[in-house]
Amino acid sequence: MGRLDGKVTLITGGARGMGKAHARHFAAEGALVTIGDVLDEKGQAVADGIGCDYVHHDVTSADDWAAAVDAVLGRFGRIDVLVNNAGILRHAPVAEMDPAEFRQVIEVNLIGTWLGIRQVAAPMSAAGRGSIVNISSIEGFAGAAGLSAYSASKFAVRGLTRSAAQELGPLGIRVNSVHPGGVMTSMALTAAQSMTGVDGGGFLKALPIARFAEPVEISRLVAFLASDESSYTTGAEFLADGGLLSGPGY
């Protein structure tokens, strides 16, 4: 404990799932956490439970980004870490997907992440330091039928991460991406239930670590990238997939 002592951190999508796990783990490691979400009741309950701050935050809104970062700066005077965690998933074949749904996934998962990097760049560069952790997915490495929008957004987060690392590294800001595989969250379980023709037992047996991850297992990796222990790491991609993409065909 104490890996993140005093690190002022904003975590998006913190009301549930991995974002909730990140918030809890960061607080336990000593970070000064603010979580943002559009699920105000759930988000405030998470914040109250761990003793951190909550802000209403739609990551597709530039105004909401400005307000969220201003709230953190007003409270703590700086921002050390941004975890771009907020994300959505829509499952549908390309030929059947509504273009509006495709655009919504891109808006949240990609443009929301870009807006966050854009908003924290100035205060982090003024301080001469900062760490941005973008949550992508194994779908950013290997596509899956029915997940065209999600996979497109997560592949794009990889490119965004690398470009931002090139731009912001000279200013003292590190930017990395984390790519979880199967994680025990409501979003992942809902997606699994919606996908037909998938042999869940066969999928697990094919994994070197033959189980889904607990959210906190991803949080520990995110915390490492947020901490000073990863001070020479930027523009890098970290898989946390139980070894799924280590096998034949990848």
Side-chain angles (χ1 to χ4, degrees), residues 52-217:
C52 72
D53 292 348
Y54 173 78
V55 293
H56 177 85
H57 187 190
D58 175 357
V59 296
T60 69
S61 165
D63 289 342
D64 274 18
W65 267 110
V69 172
D70 284 349
V72 174
L73 295 175
R75 174 92 153 85
F76 300 105
R78 67 183 196 280
I79 182 167
D80 302 311
V81 179
L82 169 64
V83 180
N84 274 315
N85 169 80
I88 61 173
L89 182 151
R90 298 289 183 266
H91 180 268
V94 172
E96 299 174 14
M97 190 170 204
D98 187 324
E101 282 195 318
F102 187 94
R103 291 189 181 98
Q104 183 187 30
V105 173
I106 299 298
E107 284 281 344
V108 174
N109 296 1
L110 175 59
I111 296 177
T113 298
W114 178 81
L115 286 171
I117 296 170
R118 175 176 175 266
Q119 194 65 42
V120 301
M124 284 185 175
S125 62
R129 65 183 185 278
S131 175
I132 300 170
V133 185
N134 298 325
I135 308 301
S136 181
S137 168
I138 57 168
E139 298 300 335
F141 281 89
L147 294 179
S148 61
Y150 186 75
S151 187
S153 70
K154 295 304 187 178
F155 265 90
V157 166
R158 292 175 62 195
L160 172 60
T161 298
R162 291 185 178 198
S163 292
Q166 289 288 318
E167 289 185 20
L168 301 178
L171 304 175
I173 304 167
R174 299 182 296 107
V175 191
N176 294 287
S177 60
V178 172
H179 301 262
V183 184
M184 295 296 290
T185 65
S186 58
M187 186 174 80
L189 294 174
T190 298
Q193 291 168 359
S194 70
M195 298 174 71
T196 58
V198 175
D199 179 3
F203 172 80
L204 286 178
K205 288 179 183 177
L207 289 174
I209 301 176
R211 61 175 177 80
F212 287 108
E214 294 295 333
V216 70
E217 294 180 285

